[in-house]
Coordinates of all heavy atoms in Angstrom, one line a residue:
M195 N 1.8 125.3 73.4 CA 2.9 124.4 73.3 C 2.8 123.3 74.4 O 2.4 123.5 75.5 CB 4.2 125.2 73.7 CG 4.7 126.0 72.5 SD 6.4 125.5 72.2 CE 6.8 126.6 70.8
E196 N 3.0 122.1 73.9 CA 2.9 121.0 74.8 C 4.3 120.5 75.2 O 5.2 120.5 74.4 CB 2.2 119.8 74.1 CG 0.7 119.9 74.1 CD 0.1 118.7 73.4 OE1 0.5 117.6 73.8 OE2 -0.7 118.9 72.5
S197 N 4.4 120.2 76.4 CA 5.7 119.6 76.8 C 5.5 118.1 77.2 O 4.6 117.8 77.9 CB 6.3 120.3 78.0 OG 5.6 120.0 79.2
K198 N 6.3 117.3 76.6 CA 6.1 115.9 76.8 C 7.3 115.4 77.7 O 8.5 115.8 77.4 CB 6.2 115.1 75.5 CG 4.8 115.0 74.9 CD 4.8 114.1 73.7 CE 3.5 114.0 73.0 NZ 3.5 113.2 71.8
R199 N 7.0 114.6 78.6 CA 8.0 114.0 79.3 C 8.2 112.5 78.9 O 7.2 111.8 78.9 CB 7.7 114.0 80.8 CG 7.9 115.4 81.4 CD 7.7 115.4 82.9 NE 7.9 116.8 83.4 CZ 7.9 117.0 84.7 NH1 7.6 116.1 85.6 NH2 8.0 118.3 85.1
T200 N 9.3 112.2 78.6 CA 9.6 110.7 78.3 C 10.5 110.1 79.4 O 11.4 110.7 79.8 CB 10.2 110.6 76.9 OG1 11.4 111.3 76.9 CG2 9.3 111.1 75.8
L201 N 10.1 109.0 79.7 CA 10.9 108.2 80.7 C 12.0 107.5 79.9 O 11.8 106.7 79.0 CB 10.1 107.2 81.4 CG 9.2 107.7 82.5 CD1 8.4 106.6 83.1 CD2 10.0 108.4 83.7
P202 N 13.2 107.8 80.3 CA 14.3 107.1 79.6 C 14.3 105.6 80.1 O 14.1 105.3 81.3 CB 15.6 107.8 80.1 CG 15.2 108.5 81.3 CD 13.7 108.8 81.3
V203 N 14.4 104.8 79.2 CA 14.5 103.3 79.5 C 15.9 102.8 79.3 O 16.4 103.0 78.2 CB 13.5 102.5 78.6 CG1 13.6 101.0 78.9 CG2 12.1 103.0 78.9
L204 N 16.4 102.3 80.3 CA 17.8 101.8 80.2 C 17.7 100.3 80.0 O 17.1 99.6 80.9 CB 18.6 102.1 81.4 CG 19.1 103.6 81.5 CD1 19.9 103.7 82.8 CD2 20.0 103.9 80.3
C205 N 18.2 99.8 79.0 CA 18.3 98.4 78.8 C 19.7 97.9 78.8 O 20.5 98.3 78.0 CB 17.7 98.0 77.4 SG 16.1 97.4 77.5
L206 N 20.0 97.2 79.8 CA 21.3 96.6 79.9 C 21.3 95.2 79.5 O 20.8 94.3 80.2 CB 21.9 96.7 81.3 CG 22.2 98.2 81.8 CD1 22.7 98.1 83.3 CD2 23.2 98.8 80.9
A207 N 21.8 94.9 78.4 CA 21.9 93.5 77.9 C 23.3 93.0 78.0 O 24.1 93.5 77.2 CB 21.3 93.4 76.5
I208 N 23.5 92.2 78.8 CA 24.9 91.6 78.9 C 24.9 90.2 78.2 O 24.3 89.3 78.7 CB 25.4 91.5 80.3 CG1 25.3 92.8 81.0 CG2 26.7 90.8 80.4 CD1 25.5 92.8 82.5
L209 N 25.5 90.2 77.1 CA 25.5 89.0 76.3 C 26.9 88.3 76.5 O 27.9 88.9 76.3 CB 25.3 89.3 74.8 CG 24.0 89.9 74.5 CD1 23.9 90.3 73.0 CD2 22.9 89.0 74.9
L210 N 26.8 87.1 77.0 CA 28.0 86.3 77.2 C 28.4 85.7 75.9 O 27.6 85.3 75.1 CB 27.8 85.3 78.3 CG 27.6 85.9 79.7 CD1 27.2 84.8 80.7 CD2 28.7 86.7 80.1
G211 N 29.7 85.5 75.7 CA 30.2 84.9 74.5 C 29.7 83.5 74.2 O 29.3 82.8 75.1
A212 N 29.8 83.1 73.0 CA 29.3 81.7 72.6 C 30.1 80.6 73.2 O 29.6 79.5 73.4 CB 29.3 81.6 71.1
G213 N 31.3 80.9 73.7 CA 32.1 79.9 74.2 C 31.8 79.5 75.7 O 32.5 78.7 76.2
S214 N 30.8 80.1 76.2 CA 30.6 79.9 77.7 C 29.5 78.9 77.9 O 29.1 78.8 79.0 CB 30.2 81.2 78.3 OG 28.9 81.7 77.8
A215 N 29.1 78.1 76.9 CA 28.1 77.1 77.2 C 28.6 76.1 78.2 O 29.8 75.7 78.2 CB 27.8 76.3 75.9
K216 N 27.7 75.7 79.1 CA 28.2 74.9 80.2 C 28.3 73.4 79.8 O 27.5 73.0 79.0 CB 27.4 75.1 81.4 CG 25.9 74.7 81.2 CD 25.1 74.8 82.5 CE 23.7 74.4 82.3 NZ 22.7 75.1 82.8
A217 N 29.2 72.8 80.4 CA 29.4 71.4 80.1 C 28.3 70.5 80.6 O 27.7 70.8 81.7 CB 30.8 70.9 80.7
E218 N 28.0 69.5 79.9 CA 26.9 68.6 80.3 C 27.4 67.2 80.5 O 28.5 66.8 80.1 CB 25.9 68.5 79.2 CG 25.0 69.7 79.0 CD 24.0 69.6 77.9 OE1 23.3 68.6 77.9 OE2 24.0 70.4 77.0
V219 N 26.6 66.4 81.3 CA 26.9 65.0 81.4 C 25.9 64.2 80.6 O 24.6 64.4 80.7 CB 26.8 64.6 82.9 CG1 27.0 63.1 83.1 CG2 27.8 65.3 83.8
I220 N 26.4 63.4 79.7 CA 25.5 62.7 78.8 C 25.5 61.2 79.3 O 26.6 60.6 79.3 CB 25.9 62.8 77.4 CG1 25.7 64.3 77.0 CG2 25.2 61.9 76.4 CD1 26.6 64.7 75.8
V221 N 24.4 60.7 79.6 CA 24.3 59.3 80.1 C 24.0 58.3 79.0 O 23.1 58.5 78.2 CB 23.3 59.2 81.2 CG1 23.1 57.7 81.7 CG2 23.6 60.1 82.4
V222 N 24.8 57.2 78.9 CA 24.7 56.2 77.9 C 24.6 54.9 78.7 O 25.4 54.6 79.6 CB 25.8 56.1 76.9 CG1 25.7 55.0 76.0 CG2 25.9 57.5 76.1
T223 N 23.6 54.0 78.4 CA 23.4 52.8 79.1 C 23.8 51.6 78.3 O 23.6 51.5 77.1 CB 21.9 52.7 79.5 OG1 21.5 53.8 80.2 CG2 21.6 51.4 80.3
M224 N 24.5 50.7 79.0 CA 24.8 49.4 78.5 C 24.0 48.3 79.2 O 24.1 48.1 80.4 CB 26.3 49.1 78.7 CG 27.2 50.1 77.9 SD 28.9 49.9 78.4 CE 29.7 50.5 76.9
D225 N 23.1 47.7 78.4 CA 22.1 46.8 79.0 C 21.8 45.7 78.1 O 21.6 46.0 76.9 CB 20.8 47.6 79.4 CG 19.9 46.8 80.2 OD1 20.3 45.7 80.7 OD2 18.8 47.3 80.5
S226 N 22.0 44.5 78.5 CA 21.7 43.3 77.6 C 22.6 43.4 76.4 O 22.1 43.2 75.3 CB 20.3 43.2 77.3 OG 19.5 43.1 78.5
M227 N 23.8 43.7 76.5 CA 24.8 43.8 75.4 C 24.5 44.8 74.4 O 24.9 44.7 73.2 CB 24.9 42.4 74.7 CG 25.2 41.2 75.7 SD 26.9 41.1 76.0 CE 27.5 40.4 74.4
T228 N 23.7 45.8 74.8 CA 23.3 46.9 73.8 C 23.7 48.2 74.4 O 23.4 48.5 75.6 CB 21.8 46.8 73.5 OG1 21.5 45.5 73.0 CG2 21.4 47.9 72.5
I229 N 24.3 49.1 73.6 CA 24.6 50.5 74.0 C 23.5 51.4 73.5 O 23.1 51.4 72.4 CB 25.9 50.9 73.4 CG1 27.1 50.0 73.8 CG2 26.2 52.3 73.8 CD1 28.4 50.3 73.1
S230 N 22.9 52.1 74.5 CA 21.8 53.0 74.2 C 21.9 54.3 74.8 O 22.1 54.4 76.0 CB 20.6 52.2 74.6 OG 19.4 53.1 74.7
P231 N 21.7 55.4 74.1 CA 21.4 55.4 72.6 C 22.7 55.1 71.8 O 23.8 55.4 72.3 CB 20.9 56.9 72.4 CG 21.5 57.7 73.5 CD 21.6 56.8 74.6
P232 N 22.5 54.5 70.6 CA 23.6 54.2 69.8 C 24.4 55.4 69.3 O 25.5 55.2 68.8 CB 23.0 53.3 68.7 CG 21.6 53.8 68.6 CD 21.2 54.2 70.0
E233 N 23.8 56.5 69.3 CA 24.5 57.7 68.8 C 24.1 58.9 69.6 O 22.9 59.1 69.9 CB 24.2 57.9 67.3 CG 25.0 59.1 66.7 CD 24.8 59.2 65.2 OE1 24.7 58.1 64.5 OE2 24.7 60.3 64.7
V234 N 25.1 59.6 70.1 CA 24.8 60.9 70.9 C 25.6 62.0 70.3 O 26.6 61.8 69.7 CB 25.0 60.7 72.4 CG1 24.1 59.7 73.0 CG2 26.5 60.4 72.7
S235 N 25.1 63.2 70.5 CA 25.8 64.5 70.2 C 26.2 65.1 71.4 O 25.6 65.1 72.5 CB 24.8 65.4 69.4 OG 24.5 64.9 68.2
A236 N 27.5 65.6 71.4 CA 28.1 66.2 72.6 C 29.0 67.4 72.1 O 29.1 67.6 70.9 CB 28.9 65.2 73.3
K237 N 29.5 68.1 73.1 CA 30.4 69.2 72.9 C 31.7 68.9 73.6 O 31.7 68.2 74.6 CB 29.9 70.5 73.3 CG 28.7 71.0 72.5 CD 28.4 72.4 72.8 CE 27.2 72.9 72.0 NZ 25.9 72.3 72.3
V238 N 32.8 69.4 73.1 CA 34.1 69.3 73.8 C 33.9 69.9 75.3 O 33.3 70.9 75.4 CB 35.2 70.1 73.1 CG1 36.5 70.2 73.9 CG2 35.5 69.5 71.7
G239 N 34.4 69.1 76.2 CA 34.2 69.5 77.6 C 33.1 68.7 78.3 O 33.0 68.7 79.5
D240 N 32.1 68.2 77.5 CA 31.1 67.4 78.1 C 31.6 66.0 78.6 O 32.7 65.6 78.2 CB 30.0 67.0 77.0 CG 29.1 68.2 76.7 OD1 29.2 69.2 77.4 OD2 28.3 68.1 75.8
T241 N 30.9 65.5 79.5 CA 31.3 64.2 80.1 C 30.3 63.1 79.6 O 29.1 63.3 79.5 CB 31.2 64.2 81.6 OG1 32.1 65.2 82.1 CG2 31.4 62.8 82.3
I242 N 30.8 62.0 79.1 CA 30.0 60.8 78.8 C 30.1 59.9 80.0 O 31.2 59.5 80.5 CB 30.5 60.1 77.6 CG1 30.5 61.0 76.3 CG2 29.6 58.8 77.3 CD1 29.1 61.3 75.8
Q243 N 28.9 59.5 80.5 CA 28.9 58.6 81.6 C 28.1 57.3 81.2 O 27.0 57.4 80.7 CB 28.1 59.2 82.8 CG 28.1 58.3 84.0 CD 27.4 58.9 85.2 OE1 26.3 59.4 85.1 NE2 28.0 58.9 86.3
W244 N 28.9 56.2 81.3 CA 28.2 54.9 80.9 C 27.8 54.2 82.1 O 28.5 54.1 83.1 CB 29.3 54.1 80.2 CG 29.6 54.5 78.8 CD1 28.9 54.3 77.7 CD2 30.8 55.3 78.4 NE1 29.6 54.9 76.6 CE2 30.7 55.5 77.0 CE3 31.9 55.9 79.2 CZ2 31.7 56.3 76.4 CZ3 32.8 56.6 78.5 CH2 32.7 56.8 77.1
I245 N 26.6 53.7 82.0 CA 26.0 52.9 83.1 C 26.0 51.4 82.6 O 25.3 51.2 81.6 CB 24.6 53.3 83.5 CG1 24.6 54.8 83.9 CG2 24.0 52.4 84.5 CD1 23.2 55.4 84.2
N246 N 26.7 50.6 83.2 CA 26.7 49.1 82.8 C 25.7 48.4 83.7 O 25.9 48.2 84.9 CB 28.1 48.6 83.0 CG 28.1 47.1 82.6 OD1 27.1 46.5 82.2 ND2 29.3 46.5 82.7
K247 N 24.6 48.0 83.1 CA 23.5 47.3 83.9 C 23.7 45.8 83.8 O 22.9 45.0 84.4 CB 22.1 47.7 83.4 CG 21.8 49.2 83.7 CD 20.4 49.5 83.4 CE 20.1 50.9 83.9 NZ 18.7 51.3 83.6
D248 N 24.7 45.4 83.0 CA 24.9 43.9 82.8 C 25.6 43.3 84.0 O 26.2 44.0 84.8 CB 25.6 43.6 81.5 CG 24.6 43.8 80.3 OD1 23.4 43.5 80.5 OD2 25.1 44.2 79.2
L249 N 25.7 42.0 84.0 CA 26.4 41.3 85.1 C 27.8 41.0 84.7 O 28.5 40.2 85.4 CB 25.6 39.9 85.4 CG 24.2 40.1 86.0 CD1 23.5 38.7 85.9 CD2 24.4 40.6 87.4
F250 N 28.3 41.5 83.6 CA 29.7 41.3 83.2 C 30.2 42.7 82.8 O 29.5 43.6 82.5 CB 29.8 40.3 82.1 CG 28.6 40.2 81.2 CD1 28.4 41.1 80.2 CD2 27.6 39.2 81.5 CE1 27.3 41.0 79.4 CE2 26.5 39.1 80.6 CZ 26.3 40.0 79.6
D251 N 31.6 42.8 82.7 CA 32.2 44.0 82.4 C 32.1 44.4 81.0 O 32.0 43.5 80.1 CB 33.7 43.9 82.7 CG 34.0 43.6 84.2 OD1 33.0 43.6 85.0 OD2 35.2 43.4 84.5
H252 N 32.1 45.7 80.7 CA 32.2 46.2 79.3 C 33.3 47.2 79.3 O 33.8 47.7 80.3 CB 30.8 46.8 78.9 CG 29.7 45.9 78.8 ND1 29.7 44.8 77.9 CD2 28.5 45.9 79.3 CE1 28.6 44.1 78.0 NE2 27.8 44.8 78.9
T253 N 33.6 47.6 78.0 CA 34.5 48.7 77.8 C 33.8 49.7 76.8 O 33.0 49.3 76.0 CB 35.9 48.4 77.3 OG1 35.8 48.0 75.9 CG2 36.5 47.2 78.1
A254 N 34.3 50.9 76.9 CA 34.0 51.9 75.9 C 35.3 52.3 75.3 O 36.1 53.0 75.9 CB 33.2 53.1 76.5
T255 N 35.6 51.7 74.1 CA 36.9 51.8 73.6 C 36.8 52.6 72.3 O 36.2 52.2 71.3 CB 37.5 50.5 73.3 OG1 37.5 49.7 74.5 CG2 38.9 50.5 72.7
A256 N 37.4 53.8 72.2 CA 37.4 54.7 71.0 C 38.2 54.1 69.9 O 39.4 53.7 70.1 CB 37.9 56.1 71.4
R257 N 37.7 54.0 68.7 CA 38.5 53.5 67.6 C 39.6 54.4 67.2 O 40.6 54.0 66.6 CB 37.6 53.2 66.4 CG 36.6 52.1 66.6 CD 35.9 51.6 65.3 NE 34.8 50.7 65.6 CZ 35.0 49.4 65.9 NH1 36.2 48.9 65.9 NH2 33.9 48.7 66.2
T258 N 39.5 55.7 67.6 CA 40.6 56.7 67.4 C 41.7 56.5 68.4 O 42.8 57.1 68.3 CB 40.0 58.1 67.6 OG1 39.4 58.1 68.9 CG2 39.0 58.5 66.6
G259 N 41.5 55.7 69.5 CA 42.5 55.5 70.5 C 42.5 56.6 71.6 O 43.3 56.6 72.4
D260 N 41.5 57.5 71.5 CA 41.5 58.6 72.4 C 41.2 58.2 73.9 O 41.7 58.8 74.8 CB 40.4 59.6 72.0 CG 40.9 60.4 70.8 OD1 40.8 59.9 69.7 OD2 41.3 61.6 71.0
W261 N 40.4 57.1 74.0 CA 40.1 56.6 75.4 C 39.7 55.2 75.3 O 39.3 54.6 74.3 CB 39.0 57.5 76.1 CG 38.0 58.1 75.2 CD1 38.0 59.4 74.8 CD2 36.8 57.5 74.7 NE1 36.9 59.7 74.0 CE2 36.2 58.6 73.9 CE3 36.2 56.3 74.7 CZ2 35.0 58.3 73.2 CZ3 35.0 56.0 74.1 CH2 34.4 57.1 73.3
D262 N 39.9 54.5 76.5 CA 39.5 53.1 76.6 C 39.1 53.0 78.1 O 39.9 52.9 79.0 CB 40.7 52.3 76.3 CG 40.5 50.8 76.5 OD1 39.3 50.4 76.4 OD2 41.4 50.0 76.7
V263 N 37.7 53.0 78.2 CA 37.2 53.1 79.6 C 36.6 51.7 79.9 O 35.8 51.2 79.2 CB 36.1 54.2 79.7 CG1 35.5 54.3 81.1 CG2 36.6 55.5 79.2
V264 N 37.0 51.2 81.1 CA 36.4 49.9 81.5 C 35.2 50.2 82.4 O 35.4 51.1 83.3 CB 37.4 49.1 82.3 CG1 36.8 47.8 82.8 CG2 38.6 48.7 81.3
I265 N 34.1 49.6 82.2 CA 32.9 49.8 83.0 C 32.6 48.4 83.6 O 31.9 47.6 83.0 CB 31.7 50.4 82.2 CG1 32.2 51.6 81.4 CG2 30.6 50.8 83.2 CD1 32.2 51.3 79.9
P266 N 33.0 48.2 84.9 CA 32.8 46.9 85.5 C 31.3 46.6 85.7 O 30.5 47.6 85.7 CB 33.5 47.0 86.9 CG 34.5 48.1 86.7 CD 33.9 49.1 85.7
A267 N 30.9 45.4 85.8 CA 29.5 45.0 85.9 C 28.8 45.8 87.0 O 29.4 46.0 88.1 CB 29.5 43.5 86.3
K268 N 27.6 46.2 86.7 CA 26.8 46.9 87.6 C 27.4 48.2 88.2 O 27.2 48.6 89.4 CB 26.4 46.0 88.8 CG 25.5 44.8 88.4 CD 24.1 45.2 88.0 CE 23.3 44.1 87.6 NZ 21.9 44.5 87.1
T269 N 28.2 48.9 87.4 CA 28.8 50.1 87.9 C 28.7 51.2 86.7 O 28.2 50.9 85.6 CB 30.3 50.0 88.3 OG1 31.0 49.7 87.1 CG2 30.5 49.0 89.3
T270 N 29.2 52.4 87.0 CA 29.3 53.4 86.0 C 30.7 53.9 85.9 O 31.5 53.7 86.8 CB 28.4 54.6 86.4 OG1 29.0 55.3 87.4 CG2 27.0 54.2 86.8
A271 N 31.0 54.5 84.7 CA 32.4 55.1 84.5 C 32.1 56.2 83.5 O 31.1 56.2 82.8 CB 33.3 54.0 84.0
A272 N 33.1 57.1 83.5 CA 32.9 58.3 82.7 C 34.2 58.8 82.1 O 35.3 58.5 82.6 CB 32.3 59.5 83.6
T273 N 34.1 59.6 81.1 CA 35.3 60.3 80.5 C 34.8 61.6 80.0 O 33.7 61.8 79.6 CB 35.9 59.4 79.4 OG1 37.2 59.9 79.1 CG2 35.1 59.5 78.1
V274 N 35.8 62.6 80.1 CA 35.5 63.9 79.5 C 36.0 64.0 78.1 O 37.1 63.6 77.8 CB 36.3 65.0 80.4 CG1 36.1 66.4 79.8 CG2 35.7 64.9 81.8
L275 N 35.2 64.5 77.2 CA 35.5 64.6 75.8 C 36.4 65.8 75.6 O 36.1 66.9 75.9 CB 34.2 64.8 75.0 CG 33.3 63.6 75.2 CD1 31.9 63.9 74.5 CD2 33.8 62.3 74.7
K276 N 37.6 65.6 75.0 CA 38.6 66.6 74.9 C 38.8 67.2 73.5 O 39.4 68.3 73.4 CB 40.0 66.0 75.3 CG 39.8 65.5 76.8 CD 41.1 65.8 77.6 CE 40.9 65.6 79.1 NZ 41.2 64.2 79.5
K277 N 38.3 66.5 72.5 CA 38.4 67.1 71.2 C 37.2 66.8 70.3 O 36.5 65.8 70.5 CB 39.7 66.7 70.5 CG 39.9 65.3 70.3 CD 41.3 65.0 69.7 CE 41.4 63.6 69.2 NZ 42.8 63.2 69.0
A278 N 37.1 67.6 69.3 CA 35.9 67.5 68.4 C 36.1 66.4 67.4 O 37.2 65.9 67.1 CB 35.7 68.8 67.7
G279 N 35.0 65.9 66.8 CA 35.0 64.9 65.8 C 34.1 63.8 66.1 O 33.7 63.6 67.3
P280 N 33.7 63.0 65.1 CA 33.0 61.8 65.4 C 33.9 60.7 66.0 O 35.0 60.6 65.4 CB 32.4 61.4 64.0 CG 33.4 62.0 63.0 CD 34.0 63.2 63.7
I281 N 33.5 60.1 67.0 CA 34.2 59.0 67.6 C 33.3 57.8 67.6 O 32.4 57.7 68.3 CB 34.8 59.3 69.0 CG1 35.9 60.5 68.8 CG2 35.4 58.1 69.6 CD1 36.7 60.7 70.1
A282 N 33.7 56.8 66.9 CA 33.1 55.5 67.0 C 33.7 54.7 68.1 O 35.0 54.8 68.2 CB 33.2 54.7 65.7
Y283 N 33.0 54.0 68.9 CA 33.6 53.2 70.0 C 32.9 51.9 70.1 O 31.8 51.6 69.5 CB 33.6 53.9 71.3 CG 32.3 54.2 71.9 CD1 31.8 53.4 72.9 CD2 31.5 55.3 71.5 CE1 30.6 53.6 73.6 CE2 30.3 55.5 72.1 CZ 29.8 54.7 73.2 OH 28.6 54.9 73.7
Y284 N 33.5 50.9 70.8 CA 32.9 49.6 70.9 C 33.4 49.0 72.2 O 34.2 49.6 72.9 CB 33.4 48.7 69.7 CG 34.9 48.5 69.7 CD1 35.4 47.2 70.0 CD2 35.8 49.5 69.4 CE1 36.8 47.0 70.1 CE2 37.2 49.3 69.4 CZ 37.7 48.0 69.8 OH 39.0 47.8 69.8
C285 N 32.9 47.8 72.5 CA 33.4 47.1 73.7 C 34.4 46.0 73.3 O 34.2 45.2 72.4 CB 32.2 46.4 74.4 SG 32.7 45.3 75.7
R286 N 35.6 46.1 73.9 CA 36.7 45.2 73.6 C 36.3 43.7 73.9 O 36.8 42.8 73.2 CB 37.9 45.5 74.3 CG 38.7 46.6 73.7 CD 40.1 46.8 74.4 NE 40.0 47.5 75.7 CZ 40.3 46.9 76.9 NH1 40.7 45.7 76.9 NH2 40.2 47.6 78.0
F287 N 35.4 43.5 74.8 CA 35.0 42.1 75.2 C 33.9 41.6 74.3 O 33.7 40.4 74.2 CB 34.6 42.1 76.7 CG 35.6 42.7 77.6 CD1 35.2 43.4 78.7 CD2 37.0 42.4 77.4 CE1 36.2 44.0 79.6 CE2 37.9 43.0 78.3 CZ 37.5 43.8 79.4
H288 N 33.1 42.5 73.8 CA 32.0 42.1 73.0 C 31.9 43.0 71.8 O 31.2 44.0 71.8 CB 30.7 42.2 73.8 CG 30.7 41.6 75.2 ND1 30.9 42.4 76.3 CD2 30.7 40.4 75.6 CE1 31.0 41.6 77.3 NE2 30.8 40.3 76.9
P289 N 32.8 42.8 70.8 CA 32.9 43.7 69.7 C 31.6 44.0 68.9 O 31.7 45.0 68.1 CB 34.0 43.0 68.8 CG 34.7 42.1 69.7 CD 33.7 41.6 70.7
N290 N 30.6 43.3 69.1 CA 29.3 43.6 68.4 C 28.7 44.8 69.1 O 27.7 45.4 68.5 CB 28.4 42.4 68.5 CG 28.8 41.4 67.4 OD1 29.4 41.7 66.5 ND2 28.3 40.2 67.7
M291 N 29.1 45.2 70.3 CA 28.6 46.4 70.9 C 29.2 47.6 70.4 O 30.4 47.8 70.7 CB 28.8 46.3 72.5 CG 28.0 45.1 73.1 SD 28.4 45.0 74.9 CE 27.7 46.6 75.5
K292 N 28.5 48.4 69.6 CA 29.1 49.5 69.0 C 28.2 50.8 69.1 O 27.0 50.6 69.2 CB 29.2 49.3 67.4 CG 30.3 48.2 67.1 CD 30.3 47.9 65.6 CE 29.6 46.7 65.3 NZ 29.7 46.3 63.9
A293 N 28.9 51.9 69.2 CA 28.1 53.2 69.3 C 28.9 54.3 68.8 O 30.1 54.1 68.4 CB 27.6 53.4 70.7
M294 N 28.4 55.5 68.8 CA 29.0 56.7 68.2 C 28.7 57.9 69.0 O 27.6 58.1 69.5 CB 28.5 56.8 66.8 CG 28.7 58.1 66.1 SD 30.4 58.2 65.4 CE 30.1 57.3 63.9
I295 N 29.8 58.8 69.1 CA 29.6 60.1 69.7 C 30.0 61.1 68.7 O 31.1 61.1 68.2 CB 30.4 60.3 71.0 CG1 30.2 59.1 72.0 CG2 30.1 61.6 71.7 CD1 31.1 59.1 73.2
R296 N 29.1 62.1 68.4 CA 29.5 63.2 67.5 C 29.8 64.4 68.4 O 28.9 64.9 69.1 CB 28.3 63.5 66.6 CG 28.1 62.3 65.6 CD 27.1 62.7 64.5 NE 26.8 61.5 63.7 CZ 27.7 61.0 62.8 NH1 28.8 61.6 62.5 NH2 27.3 59.9 62.2
I297 N 31.0 64.8 68.4 CA 31.5 65.9 69.3 C 31.8 67.2 68.5 O 32.6 67.2 67.6 CB 32.8 65.4 70.0 CG1 32.6 64.1 70.7 CG2 33.2 66.5 71.0 CD1 33.8 63.3 70.9
E298 N 31.1 68.2 68.9 CA 31.3 69.5 68.3 C 32.2 70.4 69.2 O 32.2 70.2 70.4 CB 30.0 70.3 68.2 CG 29.1 69.6 67.1 CD 27.7 70.3 67.1 OE1 27.6 71.4 67.7 OE2 26.8 69.7 66.6
Q299 N 32.9 71.3 68.6 CA 33.8 72.2 69.3 C 33.1 73.0 70.4 O 32.0 73.5 70.1 CB 34.6 73.1 68.4 CG 35.7 73.8 69.0 CD 36.8 72.8 69.5 OE1 37.3 72.0 68.7 NE2 37.1 72.9 70.8
Ligands
CU46 CU1 31.0 44.2 76.6

């Protein structure tokens, strides 16, 4: 008769829920009257930070009315995304400057 010894292996896997993804800061640049990248994906709770490299002020104005952020010349400004959905935005001073944020829950 053979006796076998087996080592018990304990595997502790602690899985955190899907809702615990950490918030990110997404950087969008305004340079030479162009918003880049023109479209970004984000999640609720993420921050969008705009960097205005131009010598004049811009705004990031949501067409939904959710936010209207002024980014003075050569500065940065940010907003936290509070709800899901695609949000198109533009600059009130230069309406040809347009971009989009796709926000997931
Ligand atoms: Cu502008």
Side-chain angles (χ1 to χ4, degrees):
M195 281 236 182
E196 282 180 51
S197 74
K198 274 187 182 175
R199 286 187 181 181
T200 57
L201 285 173
V203 177
L204 284 177
C205 259
L206 290 178
I208 299 168
L209 298 175
L210 295 174
S214 65
K216 62 178 183 221
E218 288 182 51
V219 176
I220 295 158
V221 175
V222 175
T223 302
M224 296 168 153
D225 193 4
S226 304
M227 306 278 286
T228 301
I229 301 173
S230 164
E233 185 172 321
V234 295
S235 294
K237 292 192 176 69
V238 172
D240 285 354
T241 297
I242 301 287
Q243 182 179 50
W244 288 277
I245 300 176
N246 181 1
K247 295 190 170 179
D248 284 329
L249 293 168
F250 28 82
D251 300 355
H252 291 304
T253 72
T255 304
R257 294 196 190 277
T258 54
D260 285 77
W261 28 263
D262 179 21
V263 180
V264 177
I265 310 109
K268 295 288 181 184
T269 64
T270 73
T273 195
V274 177
L275 302 172
K276 302 219 166 89
K277 63 184 190 193
I281 293 190
Y283 68 97
Y284 67 105
C285 173
R286 278 189 282 116
F287 307 141
H288 314 102
N290 284 338
M291 294 177 66
K292 292 179 257 185
M294 166 80 80
I295 306 172
R296 295 191 185 281
I297 306 156
E298 291 172 19
Q299 193 62 57

